Amino acid sequence: MVQLPIYLDNNATTPVDPRVLDAMLPYFKESFGNSASRNHPFGWKAEEAVDWARETIAKYIGADPKEIVFTSGATESDNLAIKGVAEMYASKGDHIITATTEHKAVIDTCKALERKGFKVTYLPVNKEGFISLDDLKNAITEKTILVTIMYANNEIGVLQDIESIGKICRERGVLFHTDSTQAIGKVAFDVNKMNVDLASISGHKMYGPKGIGALYVRKKNPRVKLSAQIDGGGHERGMRSGTLNVPGIVGLAKALEVCMTDLSEETARITRLRDKLYNGVTAVLDEVYVNGPDPLTAPEWRLPNNLNISFAYVEGEAMMMGIKDIAVSSGSACTSASLEPSYVLKALGVGEDIAHSSIRFGIGRFTTEEEIDYTIEHVVTAVKHLREMSPLYEMAKMGIDLKSVEWAAH
Amino acid sequence: MYSEKVLDHYSHPRNVGTLDPNDPNVGTGLVGAPECGDVMRLQLKITDDGVIEDAKFKTFGCGSAIASSSFATEMIKGKTIDEAFQIKNTEIVKELNLPPVKIHCSVLAEDAIKAAVSDFRAKQEKLKEVHS
């Protein structure tokens, strides 16, 4: 028997893996020291743990331990990277390049800089969510100081061609930041191979705790300098003051270690479940559209755990009501505070009706085959129930082109 | 998050279906737009004395939109078209306990009723013209 509710929203957050929790617990209790206390064993023990965490994280992304700056999460890392570079290199230039489909932590940080006089280019994406490398090349000017493009998109799972983007940036002498929150621990990531200068990392998307993250900051070729955004005791080589969250830091490193230890097996298992879900619903339902790269024909360009699909003629929030025992998310306006459909889906140019009909399934480490079977069955039932009462489905089946209808927009 | 009544209408919608739009006694109201995330189609079968004897709906939209239109078909049956035209969205809000962000669903249902009645009236006018 399947245990309800089922959690299929692992692109929003993930549970802490028991191995991660076990690694963290001593640092709440007997090893509670402040890693900045240099004169007693309590401090040494904490410092040792932080050093281990720094080395572990660095090892898995091909970095040097001195290049890891701990933060409170990816939003802070994005802010520190983008504002930190903008302020530090303001005398060199005032132009930043990003994409329209970035996370709000990047978009809104760029908007804040625009209010301070910086210029920002928001690159468009194609139907699958990729930026064009030619657009990027053409956007870079003498005034460009930073390119910030995410590795994996949180909504549609598209993986940008980070290696090529990094190469372009390196050739043009522009710093490259990537928000790798969704990608790290799920797909291979190497800061040197990919020419990444700054990378944002989060704990809670990879079975670590919430409230902890890191920023990779390249130390040489080129040496990246950042203007600190939080002042204080000069922790993290002056880039991020504040007593280190030792249990969180240990949890972050342990989480990454667990992910990387079984990466290929886990990727294979999760991909199989994702494809089973996709094949299961499309075998029965017509007019199901994938948002982002096709999981079957272009799996290398998509997060293995992410399936974002639109059930045409069915509204997303109604769909979520129909599968109320399955936790997913939707790009529908009705599920957002702003009552606007997902800006990421709108940026794909797929039509707002498709955005309203989208459901994001995020498969995780603890997702079982039985849960996927249950999900397929209930998704199919809900879509049939809702299409039965959808005027759009009826009109489409009668051969009416919905685009030719004069709708009274409200 | 949803009231019991919304959940009930969502799971067991009343009067889902289609009436013949070419029937002179049927008025059809189609309101909303796919890009806004909700479209309601309400159809009323109206006697020659102007009494609504049947109502059918189909809705693309969230649970509250589905419930609003389902409830509208229930409340409108048996009413005269003049009475139906007087129905206010606030009656739907009250009955279904809609939160402020879902008020527009009830407005859409009110619009659908008015559109269906107007369509019926326009049809009748046309018929009169043809006969006279």
Side-chain angles (χ1 to χ4, degrees):
Chain A
M1 198 50 202
V2 181
Q3 240 194 323
L4 300 177
I6 293 169
Y7 188 71
L8 281 185
D9 203 9
N10 287 282
N11 293 111
T13 193
T14 56
V16 172
D17 187 292
R19 290 165 284 185
V20 172
L21 183 62
D22 286 345
M24 292 171 70
L25 286 175
Y27 299 96
F28 286 107
K29 298 193 285 188
E30 60 273 17
S31 307
F32 61 86
N34 185 330
S35 57
S37 298
R38 290 282 159 80
N39 302 305
H40 54 64
F42 295 89
W44 301 335
K45 193 89 194 261
E47 194 186 14
E48 236 171 68
V50 171
D51 286 347
W52 169 81
R54 223 184 276 283
E55 282 160 24
T56 303
I57 294 166
K59 178 174 81 184
Y60 287 118
I61 64 169
D64 183 276
K66 290 198 183 74
E67 297 178 313
I68 306 298
V69 173
F70 291 111
T71 66
S72 64
T75 292
E76 188 193 332
S77 298
D78 288 340
N79 272 266
L80 175 57
I82 298 167
K83 289 176 183 164
V85 163
E87 288 171 20
M88 185 59 78
Y89 296 84
S91 60
K92 214 179 144 221
D94 62 356
H95 180 228
I96 292 166
I97 299 170
T98 186
T100 52
T101 48
E102 290 292 311
H103 193 273
K104 284 281 179 195
V106 167
I107 299 254
D108 284 6
T109 300
C110 289
K111 292 241 151 82
L113 287 172
E114 279 184 292
R115 289 193 291 274
K116 288 185 172 168
F118 286 88
K119 296 178 181 58
V120 180
T121 300
Y122 299 89
L123 297 175
V125 296
N126 69 9
K127 244 185 142 170
E128 293 175 302
F130 294 106
I131 63 155
S132 140
L133 296 177
D134 285 332
D135 284 354
L136 172 64
K137 284 181 202 159
N138 294 335
I140 296 175
T141 71
E142 283 169 10
K143 294 274 184 194
T144 309
I145 49 175
L146 181 71
V147 169
T148 172
I149 301 288
M150 73 203 318
Y151 190 170
N153 184 275
N154 48 307
E155 287 192 37
I156 55 170
V158 57
L159 299 171
Q160 297 293 343
D161 183 357
I162 288 300
E163 205 171 329
S164 300
I165 296 168
K167 196 159 166 261
I168 292 166
C169 293
R170 186 56 52 86
E171 282 165 6
R172 303 287 293 270
V174 176
L175 294 178
F176 174 38
H177 166 248
T178 186
D179 179 346
S180 58
T181 304
Q182 291 282 346
I184 198 156
K186 297 195 194 95
V187 290
F189 182 49
D190 184 308
V191 292
N192 289 319
K193 191 172 158 222
M194 297 172 172
N195 288 314
V196 168
D197 299 315
L198 295 136
S200 300
I201 301 168
S202 171
H204 76 104
K205 308 284 190 196
M206 52 174 180
Y207 311 93
K210 294 168 184 63
I212 188 71
L215 180 66
Y216 160 76
V217 185
R218 182 174 288 281
K219 238 183 118 223
K220 55 180 185 204
N221 306 320
R223 179 185 180 87
V224 179
K225 288 188 286 177
L226 292 180
S227 169
Q229 301 299 306
I230 295 179
D231 297 311
H235 305 75
E236 299 300 87
R237 299 190 302 129
M239 280 187 267
R240 204 278 191 178
S241 287
T243 297
L244 271 62
N245 170 3
V246 180
I249 287 167
V250 169
L252 176 68
K254 185 66 187 178
L256 184 57
E257 186 181 75
V258 173
C259 286
M260 300 310 279
T261 307
D262 340 296
L263 186 63
S264 58
E265 281 163 49
E266 185 60 1
T267 301
R269 190 187 75 88
I270 282 189
T271 306
R272 198 181 62 74
L273 290 180
R274 193 261 317 268
D275 295 349
K276 181 177 187 179
L277 174 58
Y278 179 58
N279 289 327
V281 297
T282 52
V284 190
L285 300 170
D286 60 346
E287 297 207 59
V288 176
Y289 303 107
V290 174
N291 298 308
D294 190 294
L296 304 180
T297 59
E300 68 277 24
W301 293 108
R302 185 171 193 115
L303 277 180
N305 83 320
N306 170 288
L307 181 65
N308 188 317
I309 44 181
S310 289
F311 301 96
Y313 321 118
V314 171
E315 195 276 333
E317 188 188 332
M319 182 64 201
M320 286 167 77
M321 264 177 95
I323 51 171
K324 61 179 180 353
D325 291 322
I326 306 164
V328 295
S329 69
S330 169
S332 154
C334 287
T335 61
S336 77
S338 62
L339 291 181
E340 278 289 313
S342 151
Y343 67 94
V344 172
L345 293 172
K346 276 164 79 176
L348 302 181
V350 292
E352 290 199 21
D353 49 334
I354 289 296
H356 284 290
S357 301
S358 76
I359 298 287
R360 179 185 70 178
F361 299 91
I363 293 154
R365 181 175 293 163
F366 305 104
T367 305
T368 64
E369 184 108 32
E370 291 71 32
E371 290 178 329
I372 295 297
D373 291 336
Y374 181 97
T375 301
I376 294 169
E377 187 192 327
H378 285 78
V379 163
V380 167
T381 306
V383 172
K384 284 184 173 169
H385 173 68
L386 290 165
R387 281 184 174 171
E388 192 60 37
M389 56 175 133
S390 168
L392 304 181
Y393 188 66
E394 183 187 298
M395 289 162 87
K397 288 290 141 193
M398 285 167 66
I400 297 169
D401 176 12
L402 295 177
K403 299 231 167 3
S404 71
V405 178
E406 265 190 54
W407 300 102
H410 54 287
Chain B
M1 183 181 172
Y2 299 102
S3 69
E4 284 296 318
K5 281 182 177 156
V6 169
L7 290 171
D8 182 47
H9 278 282
Y10 173 87
S11 307
H12 311 285
R14 318 327 182 226
N15 307 308
V16 171
T18 309
L19 298 173
D20 176 10
N22 299 317
D23 181 337
N25 284 84
V26 169
T28 300
L30 182 66
V31 295
E35 61 268 25
C36 300
D38 32 30
V39 174
M40 275 182 201
R41 189 192 64 198
L42 181 68
Q43 293 185 300
L44 306 175
K45 176 136 175 118
I46 296 156
T47 64
D48 292 334
D49 319 326
V51 175
I52 297 164
E53 57 174 350
D54 199 5
K56 294 279 183 208
F57 86 94
K58 283 203 176 187
T59 289
F60 161 80
C62 67
S64 302
I66 290 168
S68 295
S69 36
S70 170
F71 173 60
T73 59
E74 257 190 338
M75 74 189 294
I76 205 168
K77 272 200 218 178
K79 285 198 160 65
T80 67
I81 51 173
D82 291 331
E83 285 166 347
F85 215 84
Q86 299 305 316
I87 291 174
K88 290 270 167 293
N89 77 296
T90 46
E91 294 170 58
I92 298 169
V93 172
K94 215 173 141 197
E95 169 70 17
L96 298 177
N97 233 325
L98 296 180
V101 295
K102 297 295 183 190
I103 304 252
H104 70 277
C105 299
S106 67
V107 173
L108 205 59
E110 183 191 318
D111 291 349
I113 295 171
K114 291 200 160 71
V117 170
S118 301
D119 179 58
F120 170 76
R121 283 179 173 153
K123 265 185 184 171
Q124 295 294 318
E125 282 302 312
K126 233 182 185 173
L127 279 176
K128 270 188 211 156
E129 277 169 29
V130 173
H131 289 295
S132 60

